[in-house]
Amino acid sequence: GPSGSGKSTLLNLVAGIDKPSSGRILVAGVDIAKLSEGELAHWRAAHVGFIFQFYNLMPVLSAFGNVELPLLLTALSRRERRERVETALALVGLSDRVDHYPNHFPAQLSGGQQQRVAIARALISDPTLIVADEPTGDLDRVTAGEILGLLERLNDELGKTILMVTHDPKAAERAHRVVHLEKGVLAD
């Protein structure tokens, strides 16, 4: 859908960030609109990974630290966290960038590498659903193609469900199913 059509709002509703003013939201059989704030937070932590257009990385943390961040609230040991982070960064092809920072001068991570860090962070809790809000919107065509290829691999090889919103027809072509959103109304 075009800018202003409600794409980000749709993602926020499905991910349980926003509550609907009426109706139900069923995600994998769970009516998330009926969950309390605490239940919703646990549900999100267990089931949802977020990928944002502008990465939302912490500039004071390395790639490793940014990916590890969601795990700091878990009961995992330091060793278990390290293993998971290293696996996630390897999966997105950044094993050689664990100690690099997103916003240092000169740049230590390119835009595409920053988005890969964001994808690794989204995967770190092994979610069933990945919501991606314009994940290629800030990238050049070649890097965008690489990120879309990575998302396809996550779906095909790891069975991750990916709900991506975009206004880019090239990105939409890569999806298994495309639904158009126009002024808040969904249409196949």
Side-chain angles (χ1 to χ4, degrees):
S3 294
S5 63
K7 299 184 306 291
S8 295
T9 300
L10 176 64
L11 280 188
N12 288 344
L13 287 166
V14 171
I17 294 171
D18 291 343
K19 288 235 180 212
S21 53
S22 65
R24 301 180 332 162
I25 299 177
L26 294 173
V27 180
V30 176
D31 186 350
I32 62 172
K34 290 184 177 178
L35 299 178
S36 70
E37 286 302 319
E39 291 170 329
L40 199 51
H42 284 6
W43 178 84
R44 270 193 310 266
H47 297 287
V48 183
F50 298 90
I51 303 171
F52 303 96
Q53 177 178 356
F54 298 110
Y55 326 129
N56 288 0
L57 300 178
M58 300 293 291
V60 297
L61 296 177
S62 65
F64 184 96
N66 270 285
V67 175
E68 183 186 34
L69 198 57
L71 297 180
L72 294 177
L73 300 174
T74 69
L76 293 173
S77 70
R78 181 182 211 140
R79 186 176 111 311
E80 290 169 316
R81 288 194 318 264
R82 173 168 288 287
E83 288 172 1
R84 281 197 184 192
V85 171
E86 288 172 352
T87 299
L89 286 168
L91 185 66
V92 299
L94 290 178
S95 293
D96 61 337
R97 297 282 188 206
V98 295
D99 295 324
H100 288 72
Y101 289 79
N103 292 330
H104 276 220
F105 184 80
Q108 293 183 340
L109 293 171
S110 68
Q113 289 169 331
Q114 288 182 56
Q115 190 61 297
R116 288 174 186 270
V117 170
I119 292 169
R121 181 186 57 204
L123 291 172
I124 198 68
S125 64
D126 194 24
T128 51
L129 172 65
I130 297 172
V131 292
D133 194 353
E134 299 283 359
T136 60
D138 196 39
L139 303 174
D140 63 76
R141 278 277 167 222
V142 171
T143 306
E146 292 171 358
I147 294 300
L148 291 170
L150 177 57
L151 293 175
E152 283 178 319
R153 277 187 38 232
L154 294 174
N155 175 252
D156 294 342
E157 296 172 19
L158 298 180
K160 300 300 177 189
T161 297
I162 300 172
L163 178 59
M164 176 178 70
V165 297
T166 186
H167 62 269
D168 180 0
K170 294 280 188 201
E173 286 174 6
R174 308 280 285 264
H176 292 285
R177 181 172 179 214
V178 177
V179 179
H180 295 273
L181 186 61
E182 195 71 45
K183 296 181 183 173
V185 177
L186 287 174
D188 278 320

